[in-house]
Amino acid sequence: MMRLNKLAQRLSLCAFISCTALTTLALSPTASAAACAPAWQEGSTYSVGQVVSYLGNNYKALQAHTAYVGAGWNPAAATTLWTLTGSCSGSTTPKPTATPAPPPTPQPTASPKPTATPVPTPTATPVPGGFKHPGVLVDLTQLQFIKQQVLAKVEPYATAYAKARDSSLGSLTYTVLGPPSDHVVDCGASSNPDHGCSEEKQDASAAYTQALLWYISGNEQYAKNAIAIMNRWARDLTKGHTNSNAPLQSAWAAENWPAAAEIIRYTYSGWSSADIQTFQRMLNDQYLPYISGNNLYTGKNGNWSLSMADAMLGIAVFNNDRTTYNAAIAAWKQWVPGYIYNASLDGGKPVTFSGGPGSWNGQTVFNASTSGVSQETCRDTQHVALGMAALFNGAETAYLQGDDLYTPNKVRLTTTLEYHARMLQGVTNTSQDAKFPVPAGFPGLCNGQYTPVLKATMERGYNAYHTRMGVDLPQTWKHLVNDVRPKADPNDEHDVIWETLTHGTTN
């Protein structure tokens, strides 16, 4: 009788829960949650794959880290460090509280090094549109993780940090270039004419570099430098972009501006509200018109529109603009299958749509042997890298905002990562004009010749699919370790910039 009473009480919840499912759970002795793993505790150090319990759920560690006291890296909050494996039941015996492990103090040196100085607590108040801040490319948890790894001299982060710090973009005495005196950026094909184009790309990349260095090191000069760069452009760029490359040029700069601005706005108190509003207007008036609407669908090579979609996402997050965000997500979803061919998904021909790429640059074979090829692979892999970086940048920003573009596109994107990584093993060429014979093992590719170019990308894609989702990507890992990290320029002042620093992994 007591068992039936309890069942009746549970069935009374059917207004909220499936009655059938609840009845099955009540009558089945095997329908129970997994046992809880040892409880998560601040101050403890966790290895990749370690399982803990927290608030009735089990979580698996995605990255090795120490949960410093006060950092707020509990499994429910730190989604870049932990992944939920399911609910659990039963008591666990907590481990004895570990003595908090303070970050090691770097040795003095003539060059600025990271210090353990705490940074201001970022604003956590919900904002219009429901966006998470900082939330372009990196969130606060990832920034904290990067800082911890650099302070502890963990590779590949320590070397990647040193490269950023020692670059011209990371100089503590960086000089702002600013827009041309006539307040317009004029960029033709191949940046000819180049009227403010190079200066814009360099300053936007420097702003992002300085923002990262500020958070990792705690040196306020970096934050002040980033603000000086952003304020100068927000004040003086008033006549937008012109000429044939205006959409692409706008996209390249606007991929970096919001990434820098998000870090500074939400981790540093020295950027005034008035200057922030001026910067927002610049993004909305001097960039967005050139990268949105019909500009996304003009039949150009795919790296154009993917860069635009990525830039739109960043602007949308910084400006709390849900309409632009949704349009960018829609463009990303349309362009990715139109840019990357997958035999199992697409059959014997690539996906087409109105305003999509006008050609596949000489690629004519579409079958299992060319599955993973990009619309620009037979043009050169430099442009493939720009397109790939843009699509993974956009996917990462969307992921931080709660929209998972990775899972629905796992087959397509992991296949292209492995296909191109295998193709680029040992490549050191940096010229987009040099032609080479297609390597063995790639039948049907580019009619026998191609232009392989080494670029410092694939880190974000590898981190998402391997580190978070457990997908085995051996070719991508081999390419990252043997080619990208030791040989490639980590910043190209477009959309390939400091990927190893922000999303590198120790595998």
Side-chain angles (χ1 to χ4, degrees):
M1 180 63 70
M2 183 177 297
R3 178 183 176 88
L4 292 175
N5 287 340
K6 289 182 177 179
L7 178 59
Q9 291 172 357
R10 295 186 182 186
L11 291 176
S12 68
L13 298 174
C14 286
F16 304 94
I17 309 174
S18 167
C19 296
T20 301
L22 188 55
T23 303
T24 302
L25 288 172
L27 297 177
S28 172
T30 60
S32 58
C36 286
W40 173 85
Q41 291 189 349
E42 281 192 314
S44 296
T45 297
Y46 296 100
S47 57
V48 175
Q50 189 170 347
V51 179
V52 301
S53 63
Y54 183 75
L55 299 180
N57 291 303
N58 279 337
Y59 294 84
K60 183 171 68 174
L62 296 173
Q63 305 190 56
H65 67 282
T66 298
Y68 293 121
V69 174
W73 294 358
N74 68 73
T79 56
T80 56
L81 300 180
W82 297 94
T83 185
L84 175 68
T85 62
S87 60
C88 67
S89 63
S91 61
T92 62
T93 304
K95 296 179 181 178
T97 301
T99 301
T105 302
Q107 296 300 314
T109 175
S111 300
K113 290 281 186 178
T115 67
T117 304
V119 299
T121 302
T123 303
T125 306
V127 296
F131 289 103
K132 176 182 182 179
H133 300 292
V136 175
L137 294 184
V138 291
D139 64 0
L140 185 60
T141 301
Q142 189 69 8
L143 286 169
Q144 291 173 330
F145 175 78
I146 299 163
K147 181 183 179 78
Q148 175 196 345
Q149 301 307 297
V150 171
L151 289 169
K153 297 186 172 74
V154 175
E155 295 295 353
Y157 311 98
T159 295
Y161 173 83
K163 288 180 179 180
R165 181 198 63 210
D166 297 341
S167 71
S168 60
L169 300 178
S171 171
L172 279 166
T173 57
Y174 183 85
T175 300
V176 184
L177 301 175
S181 58
D182 60 358
H183 311 291
V184 64
V185 175
D186 181 4
C187 303
S190 302
S191 294
N192 183 23
D194 181 349
H195 183 64
C197 316
S198 297
E199 291 84 352
E200 182 178 41
K201 288 185 292 184
Q202 180 175 318
D203 275 351
S205 298
Y208 177 53
T209 304
Q210 298 275 336
L212 285 172
L213 293 175
W214 139 248
Y215 190 88
I216 297 169
S217 71
N219 186 332
E220 283 194 61
Q221 187 58 50
Y222 289 124
K224 292 176 180 177
N225 290 348
I227 291 170
I229 298 168
M230 293 188 288
N231 284 353
R232 173 78 173 276
W233 280 85
R235 183 189 69 221
D236 292 348
L237 181 64
T238 58
K239 295 183 180 179
H241 296 76
T242 189
N243 218 315
S244 59
N245 261 29
L248 184 58
Q249 174 71 23
S250 300
W252 284 337
E255 286 179 283
N256 286 323
W257 287 133
E262 279 281 298
I263 295 172
I264 296 299
R265 183 180 184 181
Y266 294 100
T267 69
Y268 182 69
S269 60
W271 198 14
S272 74
S273 296
D275 286 340
I276 290 171
Q277 291 173 6
T278 301
F279 189 80
Q280 287 180 304
R281 284 194 297 271
M282 178 193 74
L283 294 177
N284 196 60
D285 298 343
Q286 310 303 324
Y287 290 93
L288 193 57
Y290 303 95
I291 62 176
S292 56
N294 292 334
N295 290 312
L296 287 159
Y297 306 100
T298 59
K300 299 284 189 181
N301 287 302
N303 81 87
W304 280 55
S305 292
L306 288 167
S307 295
M308 293 181 208
D310 177 32
M312 286 174 66
L313 284 168
I315 290 173
V317 171
F318 189 72
N319 284 354
N320 297 306
D321 180 352
R322 181 60 61 179
T323 299
T324 295
Y325 179 87
N326 291 340
I329 292 289
W332 191 100
K333 289 180 177 179
Q334 187 155 45
W335 269 96
V336 166
Y339 188 64
I340 295 169
Y341 168 73
N342 186 274
S344 66
L345 301 174
D346 306 332
K349 61 180 181 179
V351 173
T352 60
F353 56 91
S354 178
S359 78
W360 276 67
N361 292 287
Q363 179 63 37
T364 59
V365 177
F366 298 98
N367 56 29
S369 66
T370 58
S371 190
V373 71
S374 158
Q375 179 259 330
E376 295 187 270
T377 303
C378 294
R379 181 186 183 190
D380 58 69
T381 67
Q382 170 168 300
H383 287 92
V384 176
L386 295 175
M388 190 177 292
L391 75 84
F392 280 119
N393 290 354
E396 190 67 15
T397 294
Y399 175 81
L400 296 177
Q401 299 304 326
D403 291 305
D404 181 10
L405 299 175
Y406 290 116
T407 301
N409 293 278
K410 181 172 73 172
V411 171
R412 191 180 301 276
L413 295 184
T414 56
T415 300
T416 199
L417 280 170
E418 287 291 273
Y419 184 80
H420 286 95
R422 181 165 62 92
M423 182 192 306
L424 294 169
Q425 300 294 339
V427 166
T428 58
N429 175 57
T430 58
S431 168
Q432 67 183 66
D433 299 315
K435 292 289 185 182
F436 296 87
V438 169
F442 291 89
L445 177 64
C446 303
N447 298 317
Q449 281 196 324
Y450 81 134
T451 300
V453 180
L454 177 62
K455 301 291 282 186
T457 190
M458 299 192 189
E459 292 276 20
R460 249 184 282 280
Y462 185 83
N463 182 63
Y465 283 115
H466 177 78
T467 306
R468 289 187 198 141
M469 300 172 65
V471 179
D472 190 25
L473 299 171
Q475 294 293 332
T476 309
W477 174 246
K478 182 179 177 182
H479 178 52
L480 289 172
V481 172
N482 295 337
D483 305 317
V484 169
R485 294 179 184 176
K487 301 171 186 175
D489 185 345
N491 163 53
D492 73 351
E493 295 184 8
H494 294 84
D495 55 9
V496 179
I497 179 169
W498 312 127
E499 286 190 24
T500 302
L501 176 58
T502 59
H503 290 86
T505 177
T506 58
N507 202 32

